[in-house]
């Protein structure tokens, strides 16, 4: 296996939080490497919903996921970190001198500290539990949206009750011929502002309803049957495309065997973003602490905390934090 040289901070995960972590670590003049198992940077934003608008990033009333990734990648490259893609981290071990060996599917990396920003880990969608649903999957039944324009002029049914379902319904309103949103509970779990927008939109909403049958041939849906939950009302709808947003089943995989304290597929950290292994930190959706809101914006803040304490771990005399105005004479 190929061995790679020592760096100050290795970031495991090249999603939005990992990319910002690399940038901020560069600001602290640390040498940086990013490792990710996916073929592209951006994590779920790139892999699942590049055309979805993100609303919880400061400075952007709304920005498409793919555009946010482009900007974060550009920002991270300010300090030229090494980025290793298509490479899964399998094991980390501590050496006698306090540094780490990081074993991956392609080799061994050496690092003085580690910041884990692996998002929710490996993920797969919660699938529609209908006997013949698989006949339509990947054709007219979708669990995420890669290209919004592929639904142009279509009659679209969305199933789900969270932010993703509501956000997609609002986004698709502009391109689809009509959009229907169903949720098996009376109330949605989305942000209040999104629900206000939904009420003022042309999206047809049915609650509490669930999808009970798909009618079509050769993977092409023609009609669907929706049924009132705990009721007798049902409707047959003409539909071209179905999008199911029931969330994802996540698995942090090999991370569970690294000797870290975990809870519900997340790594337990303290207020310094420290894990139970000295020199190993975590930020973003992969980490857990009481009262944490699961937002990209939260992960960006956690990234700065993790980097600052990693820097202090590397050099106890280093300042715990710095201001960006001290590093750049003029904005880029």
């Amino acid at each position: 296996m190929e061995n790679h040289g020592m760096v100050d901070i290795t970031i495991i995960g090249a999603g939005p939080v990992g990319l910002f972590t690399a940038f901020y670590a560069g600001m602290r003049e640390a040498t940086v490497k990013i490792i990710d198992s996916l073929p592209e940077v951006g994590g779920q934003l790139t892999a699942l919903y590049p055309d979805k608008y993100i609303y919880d990033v400061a400075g952007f009333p709304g920005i498409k996921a793919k555009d946010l990734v482009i900007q974060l990648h550009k920002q991270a490259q300010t300090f030229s970190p090494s980025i290793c893609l298509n490479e899964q981290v399998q094991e980390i071990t501590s050496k006698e001198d306090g540094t780490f060996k990081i074993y991956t599917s392609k080799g061994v990396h050496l690092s003085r500290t580690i910041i884990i920003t692996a998002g929710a880990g490996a993920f797969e969608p919660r699938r529609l539990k209908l006997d013949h649903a698989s006949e339509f999957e990947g054709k007219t039944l979708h669990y995420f949206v890669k290209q919004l324009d592929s639904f142009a002029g279509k009659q679209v049914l969305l199933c789900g009750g969270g932010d993703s379902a509501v956000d997609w319904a609002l986004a698709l309103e502009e391109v689809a011929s009509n959009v229907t949103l169903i949720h098996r509970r009376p109330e949605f779990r989305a942000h209040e502002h999104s629900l206000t927008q939904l009420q003022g939109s042309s999206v047809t909403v049915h609650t509490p309803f669930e999808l009970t049958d798909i009618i079509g041939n050769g993977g092409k849906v023609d009609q669907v049957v929706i049924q009132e939950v705990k009721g007798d009302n049902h409707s047959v709808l003409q539909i071209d495309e179905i999008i199911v947003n029931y969330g994802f089943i996540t698995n942090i995989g090999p991370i569970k065997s690294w000797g870290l304290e975990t809870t519900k597929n997340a790594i337990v950290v303290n207020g310094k973003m420290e894990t139970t292994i000295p020199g190993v930190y975590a930020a973003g959706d992969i980490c857990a602490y009481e009262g944490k809101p699961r937002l990209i914006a939260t992960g960006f803040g956690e990234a700065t905390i993790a980097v600052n304490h990693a820097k202090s771990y590397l050099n106890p005399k280093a300042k715990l934090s710095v201001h960006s105005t001290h590093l750049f004479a003029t904005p880029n």
Side-chain angles (χ1 to χ4, degrees):
M1 299 179 74
E2 183 180 358
N3 283 278
H4 302 269
M6 183 74 71
V7 296
D8 293 330
I9 299 174
T10 294
I11 299 162
I12 300 175
V17 174
L19 292 172
F20 183 70
T21 303
F23 170 72
Y24 192 76
M27 288 179 66
R28 296 306 314 269
E29 297 191 334
T31 54
V32 178
K33 177 180 291 179
I34 308 174
I35 304 175
D36 197 288
S37 61
L38 295 175
E40 300 176 270
V41 300
Q44 288 191 26
L45 298 193
T46 298
L48 299 183
Y49 39 80
D51 270 346
K52 184 175 183 292
Y53 275 91
I54 306 298
Y55 297 104
D56 67 342
V57 178
F60 296 99
I63 181 171
K64 281 190 176 181
K66 62 185 178 184
D67 295 331
L68 178 61
V69 170
I70 288 170
Q71 293 301 316
L72 286 166
H73 190 200
K74 180 179 178 182
Q75 184 183 44
Q77 289 177 318
T78 303
F79 300 103
S80 302
S82 173
I83 301 179
C84 305
L85 300 174
N86 272 323
E87 192 164 350
Q88 183 182 39
V89 176
Q90 298 167 336
E91 182 183 4
I92 62 173
T93 60
S94 300
K95 298 172 64 180
E96 290 185 2
D97 61 0
T99 61
F100 298 92
K101 280 188 174 182
I102 302 169
Y103 296 86
T104 77
S105 54
K106 293 185 178 179
V108 180
H109 301 264
L110 305 177
S111 191
R112 296 183 177 88
T113 62
I114 296 171
I115 301 178
I116 303 170
T117 60
F123 46 84
E124 62 176 283
R126 296 185 185 276
R127 298 184 181 277
L128 189 63
K129 293 181 179 179
L130 292 179
D131 290 340
H132 59 300
S134 59
E135 174 188 342
F136 301 91
E137 289 178 350
K139 297 172 183 175
T140 53
L141 170 58
H142 317 272
Y143 295 101
F144 47 87
V145 178
K146 291 287 285 186
Q147 290 185 312
L148 201 63
D149 290 346
S150 64
F151 296 90
K154 302 290 184 68
Q155 301 176 102
V156 181
L157 174 70
L158 269 149
C159 309
D163 282 304
S164 288
V166 173
D167 288 348
W168 276 126
L170 293 171
L172 285 163
E173 181 191 16
E174 299 180 6
V175 298
S177 65
N178 62 71
V179 179
T180 301
L181 174 62
I182 66 170
H183 180 38
R184 68 183 314 275
R185 293 185 175 86
E187 296 181 351
F188 291 92
R189 304 183 308 279
H191 285 105
E192 294 86 345
H193 179 64
S194 298
L195 293 178
T196 299
Q197 288 181 297
L198 182 64
Q199 289 174 355
S201 74
S202 64
V203 175
T204 302
V205 178
H206 294 283
T207 62
F209 274 78
E210 60 186 346
L211 177 60
T212 56
D213 196 14
I214 302 173
I215 302 166
N217 288 296
K220 181 181 181 299
V221 60
D222 295 315
Q223 296 176 317
V224 298
V225 179
I226 62 172
Q227 172 73 44
E228 184 181 17
V229 177
K230 297 181 181 179
D232 297 326
N233 294 329
H234 71 277
S235 297
V236 178
L237 308 177
Q238 295 294 131
I239 293 294
D240 301 314
E241 306 279 348
I242 302 168
I243 302 171
V244 175
N245 284 143
Y246 289 164
F248 292 87
I249 301 168
T250 59
N251 183 357
I252 60 175
I255 293 175
K256 287 185 176 180
S257 65
W258 295 354
L260 303 161
E261 182 183 354
T262 61
T263 177
K264 297 179 179 179
N265 272 328
I267 300 168
V268 175
V269 296
N270 60 18
K272 299 178 181 180
M273 299 298 114
E274 294 173 321
T275 69
T276 48
I277 298 178
V280 179
Y281 305 81
D285 284 351
I286 193 65
C287 74
Y289 51 85
E290 186 176 356
K292 173 189 171 104
R294 293 174 67 85
L295 299 170
I296 293 175
T298 304
F300 290 161
E302 293 166 351
T304 66
I305 297 170
V307 168
N308 285 333
H309 286 283
K311 180 73 175 182
S312 179
Y313 179 88
L314 292 168
N315 178 10
K317 294 182 179 180
K319 291 181 179 180
L320 193 57
S321 65
V322 296
H323 297 287
S324 60
T325 50
H326 296 169
L327 295 163
F328 297 109
T330 57
N332 289 334

